[in-house]
Amino acid sequence: KEEFIQAFVHEPVKEGECLTCHVPHSGPAAGLLREPEAKLCSDCHSLQETVFVQKHENYDVSQTECSSCHNPHSSPTENLYQPSFHPPTEGGCQTCHTPPKAGVKPQLTQEQGELCFTCHSDFEEKMKSRKVHPPFEGEQCSSCHLPHGSRFSALLKDQEDQVCRQCHEDEALFPRSKPVSSHPPFAEGTCSACHDAHAGDISYLLKKPQEQVCLDCHKDHSGFQRAQQHVPFKEGECLKCHGPHTASIASLLREKPYDLCISCHSEIKDQEQEASLHDPFTSGKCVECHDPHGSDQQPFLLSEEPGLCYTCHDELEKSMKSGEVHAPAEMGECSACHPAHASEHEPLLVNALEG
């Protein structure tokens, strides 16, 4: 919607005459235009008019797409320049181009990368980084950026994630089917929230070390307030458990919770062979009892026993309110008799019943 309501609006748009430029169903040109862009614009704007020629510094723009500088709908500027506009373009074409010559398309005064670095010298310094993005390393700035104007920030050719998709087509990175969970910056198409588009000294062109990138958004995570913290969480190794972009499992988990947990806690898996198994354990629902980030109780329990146990065994809690109560149960020491995961003794007992 913003495309049509900026301060200065193209006359056909202002009058609601979309069909002045577009056809409603199908047409010969991109964007459902009635005819190729330059020809279409020349129907209203005479390319030979003195004022027009002067504004374009005597360059022949008859073969140029007008939208490379101008927004066809609306703009924050009177000349309907694109919202993202290369400063030299306004009245300084020869900053980058050879002087106008009849019948000759203007050329760049230098090779692309070298030319860009004459103004963007700070980016040239980034070439010395340990990791350099291939288009930047090859000084192919136009792989991602437009030279004159763009409706997208930073003169990008398209929305940020679409620019990235030009090269990064890996199914694991940009899945074709809708993932179960997506990292908000990724879902919103803001790859630059975590990655530097040009160069850096950290793997994957991350702007900061991985744990710091995560903390930029997740610094208020409740796990930091807990007395005990899970080692991967404490050491900022978020990617041990979570994927950075998308996942087929909730919470961006790399695997099902149980499989993920036993990848480190392998000794727990051996308990699967016991005769009596606790339901959350056998169904792989570790997080029904444990907090994977941090807790005030060991071993990372969501709450103390017996409260934690009563979240499932509520009927037992009710029975404790009448009659004689077994001392460990009365003291809330469920684990005095019952192991948390599994046991060789039914019903989930530490020792076998005698007699």
Side-chain angles (χ1 to χ4, degrees), residues 29 33 35-47 52 60-67:
L33 292 179
E35 49 191 336
E37 192 175 293
K39 175 67 173 64
L40 180 66
C41 295
S42 68
D43 290 345
C44 295
H45 305 281
S46 173
L47 306 188
F52 184 94
D60 179 6
V61 295
S62 61
Q63 303 304 312
T64 303
E65 289 193 355
C66 306
S67 61

Short mmCIF file of all heavy atoms in Angstrom, two decimals, residues 29 33 35-47 52 60-67:
data_model
loop_
_atom_site.label_atom_id
_atom_site.label_comp_id
_atom_site.label_asym_id
_atom_site.label_seq_id
_atom_site.Cartn_x
_atom_site.Cartn_y
_atom_site.Cartn_z
N ALA A 29 4.46 -7.07 -21.83
CA ALA A 29 5.61 -6.59 -21.08
C ALA A 29 5.50 -6.95 -19.61
O ALA A 29 4.41 -7.24 -19.09
CB ALA A 29 5.74 -5.07 -21.24
N LEU A 33 2.49 -4.29 -18.10
CA LEU A 33 2.50 -3.01 -18.81
C LEU A 33 1.94 -3.19 -20.22
O LEU A 33 2.08 -4.25 -20.82
CB LEU A 33 3.92 -2.46 -18.87
CG LEU A 33 4.54 -2.02 -17.54
CD1 LEU A 33 5.97 -1.53 -17.75
CD2 LEU A 33 3.70 -0.93 -16.86
N GLU A 35 3.00 -1.84 -22.92
CA GLU A 35 4.11 -1.94 -23.88
C GLU A 35 5.41 -1.78 -23.10
O GLU A 35 5.39 -1.47 -21.91
CB GLU A 35 3.97 -0.88 -24.96
CG GLU A 35 3.71 0.53 -24.44
CD GLU A 35 3.32 1.50 -25.55
OE1 GLU A 35 3.67 1.24 -26.72
OE2 GLU A 35 2.65 2.50 -25.25
N PRO A 36 6.56 -2.02 -23.73
CA PRO A 36 7.82 -1.87 -23.01
C PRO A 36 7.92 -0.52 -22.31
O PRO A 36 7.43 0.50 -22.80
CB PRO A 36 8.86 -1.99 -24.13
CG PRO A 36 8.20 -2.88 -25.12
CD PRO A 36 6.75 -2.49 -25.10
N GLU A 37 8.56 -0.54 -21.17
CA GLU A 37 8.54 0.60 -20.25
C GLU A 37 8.93 1.93 -20.88
O GLU A 37 8.20 2.93 -20.77
CB GLU A 37 9.47 0.29 -19.07
CG GLU A 37 9.33 1.25 -17.91
CD GLU A 37 10.18 0.83 -16.73
OE1 GLU A 37 9.88 -0.22 -16.11
OE2 GLU A 37 11.14 1.55 -16.43
N ALA A 38 10.10 1.99 -21.54
CA ALA A 38 10.55 3.26 -22.12
C ALA A 38 9.56 3.81 -23.14
O ALA A 38 9.28 5.01 -23.18
CB ALA A 38 11.92 3.08 -22.76
N LYS A 39 9.01 2.93 -23.97
CA LYS A 39 8.01 3.35 -24.96
C LYS A 39 6.76 3.85 -24.28
O LYS A 39 6.16 4.87 -24.66
CB LYS A 39 7.70 2.16 -25.87
CG LYS A 39 6.58 2.41 -26.88
CD LYS A 39 6.99 3.45 -27.91
CE LYS A 39 5.94 3.58 -29.02
NZ LYS A 39 4.64 4.07 -28.57
N LEU A 40 6.33 3.15 -23.25
CA LEU A 40 5.12 3.53 -22.52
C LEU A 40 5.28 4.92 -21.91
O LEU A 40 4.39 5.77 -22.04
CB LEU A 40 4.84 2.50 -21.43
CG LEU A 40 3.61 2.74 -20.55
CD1 LEU A 40 2.34 2.62 -21.38
CD2 LEU A 40 3.57 1.74 -19.41
N CYS A 41 6.42 5.17 -21.26
CA CYS A 41 6.64 6.47 -20.62
C CYS A 41 6.70 7.60 -21.65
O CYS A 41 6.23 8.71 -21.39
CB CYS A 41 7.93 6.44 -19.80
SG CYS A 41 7.87 5.30 -18.40
N SER A 42 7.26 7.29 -22.82
CA SER A 42 7.39 8.33 -23.86
C SER A 42 6.05 8.74 -24.45
O SER A 42 5.95 9.76 -25.13
CB SER A 42 8.34 7.86 -24.96
OG SER A 42 7.76 6.79 -25.70
N ASP A 43 5.00 7.95 -24.19
CA ASP A 43 3.67 8.35 -24.66
C ASP A 43 3.22 9.64 -24.00
O ASP A 43 2.47 10.43 -24.58
CB ASP A 43 2.64 7.24 -24.37
CG ASP A 43 2.85 6.00 -25.23
OD1 ASP A 43 3.59 6.10 -26.23
OD2 ASP A 43 2.28 4.94 -24.90
N CYS A 44 3.67 9.88 -22.77
CA CYS A 44 3.30 11.11 -22.05
C CYS A 44 4.48 12.08 -21.92
O CYS A 44 4.29 13.29 -21.92
CB CYS A 44 2.78 10.78 -20.66
SG CYS A 44 1.24 9.85 -20.64
N HIS A 45 5.69 11.52 -21.79
CA HIS A 45 6.87 12.34 -21.55
C HIS A 45 7.73 12.38 -22.81
O HIS A 45 8.37 11.38 -23.17
CB HIS A 45 7.70 11.77 -20.39
CG HIS A 45 6.92 11.61 -19.12
ND1 HIS A 45 6.63 12.65 -18.27
CD2 HIS A 45 6.34 10.51 -18.56
CE1 HIS A 45 5.94 12.22 -17.25
NE2 HIS A 45 5.74 10.92 -17.40
N SER A 46 7.75 13.50 -23.50
CA SER A 46 8.53 13.64 -24.72
C SER A 46 10.02 13.60 -24.40
O SER A 46 10.54 14.46 -23.68
CB SER A 46 8.19 14.95 -25.44
OG SER A 46 9.06 15.14 -26.53
N LEU A 47 10.72 12.61 -24.98
CA LEU A 47 12.14 12.46 -24.70
C LEU A 47 12.99 13.52 -25.38
O LEU A 47 14.18 13.66 -25.07
CB LEU A 47 12.62 11.07 -25.14
CG LEU A 47 11.84 9.86 -24.58
CD1 LEU A 47 12.57 8.57 -24.95
CD2 LEU A 47 11.67 9.96 -23.08
N PHE A 52 13.35 17.99 -20.53
CA PHE A 52 13.58 16.58 -20.26
C PHE A 52 15.05 16.23 -20.54
O PHE A 52 15.71 15.55 -19.74
CB PHE A 52 12.66 15.72 -21.14
CG PHE A 52 12.77 14.25 -20.88
CD1 PHE A 52 11.91 13.62 -20.00
CD2 PHE A 52 13.73 13.48 -21.53
CE1 PHE A 52 12.01 12.25 -19.75
CE2 PHE A 52 13.84 12.11 -21.29
CZ PHE A 52 12.98 11.50 -20.40
N ASP A 60 21.06 9.89 -23.73
CA ASP A 60 19.95 9.24 -24.43
C ASP A 60 19.39 8.15 -23.52
O ASP A 60 20.04 7.14 -23.28
CB ASP A 60 20.46 8.64 -25.75
CG ASP A 60 19.34 7.92 -26.51
OD1 ASP A 60 18.17 7.99 -26.07
OD2 ASP A 60 19.65 7.28 -27.54
N VAL A 61 18.18 8.37 -23.02
CA VAL A 61 17.57 7.40 -22.09
C VAL A 61 16.46 6.60 -22.75
O VAL A 61 15.69 5.93 -22.08
CB VAL A 61 17.03 8.11 -20.83
CG1 VAL A 61 18.17 8.73 -20.02
CG2 VAL A 61 16.00 9.16 -21.19
N SER A 62 16.40 6.66 -24.07
CA SER A 62 15.31 5.99 -24.79
C SER A 62 15.36 4.47 -24.64
O SER A 62 14.34 3.80 -24.79
CB SER A 62 15.35 6.37 -26.27
OG SER A 62 16.58 5.96 -26.86
N GLN A 63 16.53 3.93 -24.36
CA GLN A 63 16.66 2.48 -24.20
C GLN A 63 16.80 2.08 -22.73
O GLN A 63 17.11 0.94 -22.42
CB GLN A 63 17.88 1.98 -24.99
CG GLN A 63 17.85 2.31 -26.46
CD GLN A 63 16.59 1.80 -27.16
OE1 GLN A 63 16.23 0.63 -26.99
NE2 GLN A 63 15.94 2.65 -27.91
N THR A 64 16.55 3.04 -21.86
CA THR A 64 16.72 2.80 -20.42
C THR A 64 15.37 2.59 -19.76
O THR A 64 14.38 3.21 -20.15
CB THR A 64 17.41 4.01 -19.77
OG1 THR A 64 18.65 4.24 -20.41
CG2 THR A 64 17.65 3.78 -18.29
N GLU A 65 15.33 1.72 -18.79
CA GLU A 65 14.09 1.55 -18.03
C GLU A 65 13.95 2.72 -17.06
O GLU A 65 14.80 2.91 -16.19
CB GLU A 65 14.11 0.23 -17.26
CG GLU A 65 13.97 -0.99 -18.15
CD GLU A 65 13.68 -2.25 -17.36
OE1 GLU A 65 13.68 -2.19 -16.11
OE2 GLU A 65 13.45 -3.29 -17.99
N CYS A 66 12.89 3.47 -17.23
CA CYS A 66 12.69 4.66 -16.40
C CYS A 66 12.63 4.32 -14.92
O CYS A 66 13.07 5.11 -14.07
CB CYS A 66 11.40 5.37 -16.83
SG CYS A 66 11.34 5.75 -18.59
N SER A 67 12.12 3.12 -14.60
CA SER A 67 11.99 2.73 -13.19
C SER A 67 13.34 2.44 -12.55
O SER A 67 13.41 2.20 -11.35
CB SER A 67 11.08 1.52 -13.05
OG SER A 67 11.62 0.41 -13.74
#
